[in-house]
């Protein structure tokens, strides 16, 4: 199994740069737990294209396969009626790739 490295994450970030929105975060002010205050940051993923974090993964997936020469001419297929299917369809349209979602 491939061990994910910092370089892998950096490469993925570079692939999706300019294709997805930056992750918006806000600081929440939770009550102290056990008398110890703590910081809580929330990622506002609902502000991403398609409303979830899946947009980054779909863009990265398609671009990585395009770079590797393994993106089929027929396009991609995904079985998801949820966030993954929506993100796949959106990313495919952005990149001019045929997508079938069921």
């Amino acid at each position: 199994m491939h061990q994910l490295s910092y370089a892998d994450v950096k490469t993925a970030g570079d692939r999706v740069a300019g294709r997805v929105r930056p992750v918006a975060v806000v600081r929440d002010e939770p009550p102290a737990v056990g008398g110890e205050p703590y910081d809580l940051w929330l990622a506002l993923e609902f502000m991403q294209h398609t409303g979830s974090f899946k947009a980054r993964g779909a863009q990265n997936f398609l671009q990585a396969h395009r770079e590797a020469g393994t993106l089929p001419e027929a396009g991609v297929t995904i079985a998801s009626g949820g966030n993954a299917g929506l993100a796949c369809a959106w990313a495919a349209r952005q990149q001019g790739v045929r997508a079938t979602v069921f």
Side-chain angles (χ1 to χ4, degrees):
M1 181 176 204
H2 175 74
Q3 180 74 23
L4 192 63
S5 69
Y6 176 79
D8 294 328
V9 174
K10 176 77 171 102
T11 299
D14 292 343
R15 274 191 203 112
V16 302
R19 295 180 183 272
V20 295
R21 295 178 178 137
V23 178
V25 295
V26 295
R27 183 173 183 219
D28 196 13
E29 296 184 22
V33 174
E36 297 289 326
Y38 61 93
D39 287 330
L40 177 63
W41 291 86
L42 304 172
L44 305 181
E45 295 290 356
F46 70 91
M47 296 177 69
Q48 189 54 260
H49 297 283
T50 75
S52 80
F53 67 94
K54 300 285 186 173
R56 286 188 298 278
Q59 286 284 1
N60 182 56
F61 176 86
L62 291 175
Q63 192 61 32
H65 281 283
R66 185 184 304 277
E67 290 170 5
T70 57
L71 187 62
E73 285 188 42
V76 294
T77 301
I78 187 167
S80 170
N83 291 334
L86 183 59
C88 179
W90 172 79
R93 183 171 188 180
Q94 295 295 311
Q95 294 194 35
V97 174
R98 183 182 165 128
T100 302
V101 180
F102 64 96

